[in-house]
Amino acid sequence: ASDARMDGCEKPVMTNSGSGNQGITVYLPVVVAAEQFGCSREQLVRALALSNLIAAHIHYYMGHLSALCGILIAGTGSASAITYLMGGSYGQVVNTIKTMCSNLTGMMCDGAKQGCALKVYSGVSAAVQAALLSMKGIKTHDDGIIEDDIEKTIRSREWSELVQIQESRLFLERKPGFVVKRKGLHCYSGLNAVFLLQWIGSMYIRINRE
Protein backbone atom coordinates (compact mmCIF):
# COMPACT_ATOMS: atom_id res chain seq x y z
CA ALA A 1 0.00 0.00 0.00
CA SER A 2 2.77 2.40 0.91
CA ASP A 3 4.77 1.54 -2.20
CA ALA A 4 1.75 2.23 -4.42
CA ARG A 5 1.10 5.50 -2.61
CA MET A 6 4.72 6.65 -2.96
CA ASP A 7 4.56 5.75 -6.66
CA GLY A 8 1.65 8.12 -7.25
CA CYS A 9 -1.47 6.10 -6.44
CA GLU A 10 -4.25 8.61 -5.72
CA LYS A 11 -6.48 6.37 -3.61
CA PRO A 12 -7.19 7.89 -0.17
CA VAL A 13 -5.81 6.38 3.03
CA MET A 14 -6.53 6.90 6.71
CA THR A 15 -3.87 9.06 8.33
CA ASN A 16 -2.31 9.23 11.75
CA SER A 17 -0.79 12.50 12.94
CA GLY A 18 -1.22 13.89 9.44
CA SER A 19 0.71 11.13 7.67
CA GLY A 20 -0.74 8.63 5.23
CA ASN A 21 2.17 6.20 5.56
CA GLN A 22 1.86 6.31 9.33
CA GLY A 23 -1.86 5.69 8.95
CA ILE A 24 -1.12 2.62 6.84
CA THR A 25 1.33 1.45 9.53
CA VAL A 26 -1.02 1.85 12.49
CA TYR A 27 -4.03 0.27 10.72
CA LEU A 28 -3.14 -2.47 8.26
CA PRO A 29 -0.79 -4.65 10.39
CA VAL A 30 -3.37 -4.63 13.18
CA VAL A 31 -6.18 -5.65 10.82
CA VAL A 32 -4.07 -8.48 9.39
CA ALA A 33 -3.10 -9.66 12.89
CA ALA A 34 -6.73 -9.64 14.01
CA GLU A 35 -7.70 -11.76 10.99
CA GLN A 36 -4.82 -14.14 11.64
CA PHE A 37 -5.76 -14.60 15.31
CA GLY A 38 -9.50 -14.86 14.64
CA CYS A 39 -10.30 -11.87 16.85
CA SER A 40 -13.77 -10.41 17.24
CA ARG A 41 -14.80 -7.08 15.74
CA GLU A 42 -14.77 -5.52 19.21
CA GLN A 43 -11.20 -6.69 19.80
CA LEU A 44 -10.18 -5.26 16.44
CA VAL A 45 -11.80 -1.89 17.19
CA ARG A 46 -10.09 -1.77 20.60
CA ALA A 47 -6.75 -2.69 19.04
CA LEU A 48 -7.04 -0.02 16.35
CA ALA A 49 -7.92 2.57 18.98
CA LEU A 50 -4.91 1.51 21.05
CA SER A 51 -2.60 1.64 18.03
CA ASN A 52 -3.72 5.15 17.05
CA LEU A 53 -3.73 6.55 20.57
CA ILE A 54 -0.25 5.29 21.43
CA ALA A 55 1.13 6.70 18.18
CA ALA A 56 -0.58 10.05 18.79
CA HIS A 57 0.65 10.13 22.39
CA ILE A 58 4.27 9.60 21.35
CA HIS A 59 3.90 12.21 18.60
CA TYR A 60 2.90 14.76 21.23
CA TYR A 61 6.46 14.75 22.59
CA MET A 62 8.04 15.00 19.15
CA GLY A 63 6.61 18.45 18.48
CA HIS A 64 5.60 19.86 15.10
CA LEU A 65 9.12 19.87 13.69
CA SER A 66 11.29 16.77 13.67
CA ALA A 67 14.06 15.19 11.61
CA LEU A 68 12.99 11.71 12.71
CA CYS A 69 10.95 9.35 10.55
CA GLY A 70 7.49 8.84 12.06
CA ILE A 71 7.26 5.19 11.02
CA LEU A 72 8.95 4.16 14.26
CA ILE A 73 6.17 5.90 16.15
CA ALA A 74 3.43 4.36 14.04
CA GLY A 75 5.12 0.97 14.25
CA THR A 76 5.19 1.27 18.03
CA GLY A 77 1.44 1.82 18.00
CA SER A 78 0.78 -1.23 15.84
CA ALA A 79 3.24 -3.33 17.88
CA SER A 80 1.33 -2.47 21.05
CA ALA A 81 -1.98 -3.36 19.40
CA ILE A 82 -0.62 -6.68 18.10
CA THR A 83 0.60 -7.51 21.60
CA TYR A 84 -2.90 -6.76 22.90
CA LEU A 85 -4.48 -9.01 20.25
CA MET A 86 -2.14 -11.82 21.29
CA GLY A 87 -3.51 -11.57 24.83
CA GLY A 88 -0.68 -9.49 26.22
CA SER A 89 -0.90 -7.74 29.56
CA TYR A 90 -0.20 -4.07 30.26
CA GLY A 91 3.35 -4.99 31.29
CA GLN A 92 3.90 -6.85 28.04
CA VAL A 93 2.63 -3.89 26.02
CA VAL A 94 5.08 -1.68 27.92
CA ASN A 95 7.92 -4.08 27.10
CA THR A 96 6.88 -4.02 23.45
CA ILE A 97 7.11 -0.22 23.38
CA LYS A 98 10.55 -0.33 25.00
CA THR A 99 11.76 -2.88 22.47
CA MET A 100 10.57 -0.67 19.62
CA CYS A 101 12.26 2.38 21.16
CA SER A 102 15.57 0.55 21.48
CA ASN A 103 15.35 -0.82 17.94
CA LEU A 104 14.53 1.83 15.33
CA THR A 105 14.91 5.13 17.18
CA GLY A 106 17.02 7.51 15.12
CA MET A 107 15.68 6.68 11.65
CA MET A 108 15.99 9.88 9.64
CA CYS A 109 13.31 11.45 7.48
CA ASP A 110 14.80 12.50 4.15
CA GLY A 111 11.61 13.39 2.34
CA ALA A 112 8.60 11.57 0.89
CA LYS A 113 9.65 9.10 -1.80
CA GLN A 114 9.61 5.42 -2.71
CA GLY A 115 12.14 4.63 0.01
CA CYS A 116 9.41 5.41 2.55
CA ALA A 117 7.80 2.09 1.64
CA LEU A 118 10.98 0.36 2.80
CA LYS A 119 10.81 2.26 6.07
CA VAL A 120 7.20 1.10 6.52
CA TYR A 121 8.37 -2.47 5.90
CA SER A 122 11.10 -2.06 8.53
CA GLY A 123 8.66 -0.56 11.03
CA VAL A 124 6.04 -3.29 10.57
CA SER A 125 8.65 -6.07 10.70
CA ALA A 126 10.09 -4.60 13.91
CA ALA A 127 6.55 -4.29 15.34
CA VAL A 128 5.78 -7.98 14.82
CA GLN A 129 9.18 -8.95 16.19
CA ALA A 130 8.74 -6.76 19.28
CA ALA A 131 5.29 -8.21 20.00
CA LEU A 132 6.55 -11.79 19.67
CA LEU A 133 9.55 -11.12 21.90
CA SER A 134 7.39 -9.47 24.54
CA MET A 135 4.94 -12.38 24.59
CA LYS A 136 7.88 -14.72 25.23
CA GLY A 137 8.99 -12.60 28.19
CA ILE A 138 12.01 -11.13 26.38
CA LYS A 139 12.47 -7.43 27.04
CA THR A 140 14.99 -4.62 26.68
CA HIS A 141 16.99 -3.81 29.79
CA ASP A 142 16.70 -0.32 31.22
CA ASP A 143 19.73 1.38 29.72
CA GLY A 144 20.50 4.07 27.17
CA ILE A 145 17.27 5.88 26.31
CA ILE A 146 15.25 3.01 27.83
CA GLU A 147 14.12 3.71 31.39
CA ASP A 148 12.01 1.82 33.89
CA ASP A 149 9.25 4.44 33.57
CA ILE A 150 7.66 4.05 30.14
CA GLU A 151 6.71 7.73 29.97
CA LYS A 152 10.34 8.74 30.55
CA THR A 153 11.35 6.32 27.80
CA ILE A 154 8.92 7.95 25.38
CA ARG A 155 10.17 11.42 26.29
CA SER A 156 13.77 10.28 25.76
CA ARG A 157 13.16 10.26 22.02
CA GLU A 158 13.49 14.04 21.88
CA TRP A 159 17.12 13.68 23.01
CA SER A 160 17.73 10.88 20.52
CA GLU A 161 16.49 13.27 17.84
CA LEU A 162 19.24 15.74 18.66
CA VAL A 163 21.90 13.02 18.61
CA GLN A 164 20.52 11.68 15.32
CA ILE A 165 20.74 15.08 13.67
CA GLN A 166 24.23 15.69 15.00
CA GLU A 167 25.55 12.37 13.75
CA SER A 168 23.91 12.46 10.30
CA ARG A 169 26.58 13.09 7.69
CA LEU A 170 23.94 14.38 5.29
CA PHE A 171 23.28 17.48 7.38
CA LEU A 172 26.58 18.19 9.07
CA GLU A 173 28.40 21.46 8.78
CA ARG A 174 31.63 20.96 10.67
CA LYS A 175 32.22 24.22 12.51
CA PRO A 176 34.13 23.94 15.80
CA GLY A 177 33.05 25.51 19.03
CA PHE A 178 29.30 24.91 19.05
CA VAL A 179 28.07 22.87 22.00
CA VAL A 180 24.53 21.91 22.99
CA LYS A 181 24.46 21.02 26.67
CA ARG A 182 21.29 19.71 28.31
CA LYS A 183 20.70 17.09 30.98
CA GLY A 184 24.23 15.78 30.63
CA LEU A 185 24.00 15.47 26.83
CA HIS A 186 26.85 17.08 24.91
CA CYS A 187 26.56 17.34 21.12
CA TYR A 188 29.62 19.00 19.69
CA SER A 189 29.69 21.11 16.61
CA GLY A 190 28.08 20.76 13.32
CA LEU A 191 24.29 20.90 13.50
CA ASN A 192 22.94 22.21 10.25
CA ALA A 193 21.27 25.53 11.02
CA VAL A 194 17.90 24.52 9.62
CA PHE A 195 17.67 21.39 11.71
CA LEU A 196 18.96 23.19 14.79
CA LEU A 197 16.15 25.71 14.40
CA GLN A 198 13.69 22.83 13.99
CA TRP A 199 14.84 21.33 17.27
CA ILE A 200 14.71 24.68 19.09
CA GLY A 201 11.22 25.28 17.68
CA SER A 202 9.98 21.89 18.79
CA MET A 203 11.43 22.41 22.31
CA TYR A 204 9.73 25.83 22.49
CA ILE A 205 6.41 24.24 21.54
CA ARG A 206 6.81 21.53 24.19
CA ILE A 207 7.64 24.06 26.91
CA ASN A 208 4.55 26.13 26.05
CA ARG A 209 2.36 23.03 26.09
CA GLU A 210 3.58 22.09 29.53
Side-chain angles (χ1 to χ4, degrees):
S2 176
D3 186 45
R5 184 170 179 269
M6 292 294 97
D7 203 35
C9 179
E10 296 182 357
K11 289 190 174 182
V13 296
M14 290 293 292
T15 66
N16 180 277
S17 303
S19 167
N21 279 337
Q22 291 181 57
I24 289 171
T25 306
V26 298
Y27 281 102
L28 293 187
V30 180
V31 172
V32 172
E35 291 176 352
Q36 180 68 29
F37 301 143
C39 298
S40 66
R41 180 174 178 79
E42 180 181 348
Q43 287 175 310
L44 172 59
V45 171
R46 287 176 179 270
L48 289 173
L50 179 64
S51 181
N52 278 274
L53 288 172
I54 287 179
H57 176 63
I58 297 173
H59 260 292
Y60 175 84
Y61 296 106
M62 297 304 295
H64 294 290
L65 299 169
S66 175
L68 289 182
C69 175
I71 291 303
L72 165 64
I73 298 174
T76 302
S78 62
S80 304
I82 292 170
T83 303
Y84 162 76
L85 290 174
M86 295 174 71
S89 63
Y90 169 77
Q92 288 170 316
V93 171
V94 167
N95 290 336
T96 297
I97 296 173
K98 289 182 178 181
T99 299
M100 287 294 291
C101 289
S102 63
N103 187 354
L104 295 181
T105 295
M107 185 187 294
M108 182 181 66
C109 174
D110 57 343
K113 59 192 182 320
Q114 289 180 329
C116 294
L118 293 173
K119 290 184 173 71
V120 171
Y121 167 78
S122 297
V124 173
S125 298
V128 173
Q129 181 186 60
L132 292 173
L133 289 173
S134 184
M135 293 303 294
K136 289 182 177 293
I138 302 172
K139 63 180 181 179
T140 304
H141 294 290
D142 301 331
D143 56 10
I145 66 169
I146 309 302
E147 302 196 34
D148 182 60
D149 186 334
I150 187 60
E151 288 299 320
K152 289 182 179 179
T153 298
I154 291 172
R155 291 187 180 96
S156 292
R157 291 187 180 192
E158 65 187 65
W159 307 117
S160 71
E161 175 184 349
L162 180 58
V163 174
Q164 182 266 333
I165 297 173
Q166 194 273 339
E167 291 182 345
S168 172
R169 293 299 182 267
L170 293 176
F171 302 106
L172 278 178
E173 288 181 355
R174 292 193 172 279
K175 294 181 180 178
F178 180 79
V179 180
V180 173
K181 195 173 180 184
R182 179 124 187 212
K183 287 191 176 179
L185 179 65
H186 294 67
C187 290
Y188 289 95
S189 197
L191 285 177
N192 178 283
V194 172
F195 285 88
L196 175 60
L197 289 173
Q198 285 185 338
W199 180 76
I200 293 173
S202 63
M203 289 298 296
Y204 176 77
I205 292 168
R206 290 189 196 101
I207 292 170
N208 281 321
R209 281 177 174 174
E210 294 172 359

mmCIF file of all heavy atoms in Angstrom, residues 23 35 53 113 126 164:
data_model
loop_
_atom_site.group_PDB
_atom_site.id
_atom_site.type_symbol
_atom_site.label_atom_id
_atom_site.label_comp_id
_atom_site.label_asym_id
_atom_site.label_seq_id
_atom_site.Cartn_x
_atom_site.Cartn_y
_atom_site.Cartn_z
ATOM 1 N N GLY A 23 -0.514 6.260 8.847
ATOM 2 C CA GLY A 23 -1.860 5.692 8.945
ATOM 3 C C GLY A 23 -1.881 4.246 8.478
ATOM 4 O O GLY A 23 -2.484 3.369 9.107
ATOM 5 N N GLU A 35 -7.194 -10.698 11.857
ATOM 6 C CA GLU A 35 -7.704 -11.758 10.990
ATOM 7 C C GLU A 35 -6.953 -13.064 11.233
ATOM 8 O O GLU A 35 -7.542 -14.141 11.278
ATOM 9 C CB GLU A 35 -7.576 -11.341 9.527
ATOM 10 C CG GLU A 35 -8.508 -10.193 9.129
ATOM 11 C CD GLU A 35 -8.297 -9.743 7.696
ATOM 12 O OE1 GLU A 35 -7.313 -10.221 7.059
ATOM 13 O OE2 GLU A 35 -9.099 -8.931 7.204
ATOM 14 N N LEU A 53 -3.937 5.702 19.395
ATOM 15 C CA LEU A 53 -3.732 6.548 20.575
ATOM 16 C C LEU A 53 -2.284 6.539 21.042
ATOM 17 O O LEU A 53 -1.741 7.576 21.433
ATOM 18 C CB LEU A 53 -4.667 6.102 21.705
ATOM 19 C CG LEU A 53 -6.147 6.427 21.505
ATOM 20 C CD1 LEU A 53 -6.997 5.762 22.581
ATOM 21 C CD2 LEU A 53 -6.365 7.937 21.507
ATOM 22 N N LYS A 113 9.178 9.731 -0.569
ATOM 23 C CA LYS A 113 9.646 9.104 -1.799
ATOM 24 C C LYS A 113 9.398 7.603 -1.698
ATOM 25 O O LYS A 113 8.851 7.123 -0.707
ATOM 26 C CB LYS A 113 11.134 9.388 -2.002
ATOM 27 C CG LYS A 113 11.961 8.866 -0.841
ATOM 28 C CD LYS A 113 13.363 9.394 -0.876
ATOM 29 C CE LYS A 113 14.183 8.820 0.255
ATOM 30 N NZ LYS A 113 13.478 8.711 1.548
ATOM 31 N N ALA A 126 9.630 -4.806 12.538
ATOM 32 C CA ALA A 126 10.086 -4.602 13.908
ATOM 33 C C ALA A 126 8.921 -4.703 14.894
ATOM 34 O O ALA A 126 9.079 -5.200 16.018
ATOM 35 C CB ALA A 126 10.771 -3.244 14.043
ATOM 36 N N GLN A 164 20.677 12.158 16.697
ATOM 37 C CA GLN A 164 20.523 11.677 15.320
ATOM 38 C C GLN A 164 20.883 12.761 14.313
ATOM 39 O O GLN A 164 21.557 12.521 13.321
ATOM 40 C CB GLN A 164 19.089 11.186 15.107
ATOM 41 C CG GLN A 164 18.824 10.619 13.714
ATOM 42 C CD GLN A 164 18.274 11.683 12.782
ATOM 43 O OE1 GLN A 164 17.650 12.642 13.223
ATOM 44 N NE2 GLN A 164 18.504 11.527 11.514
#
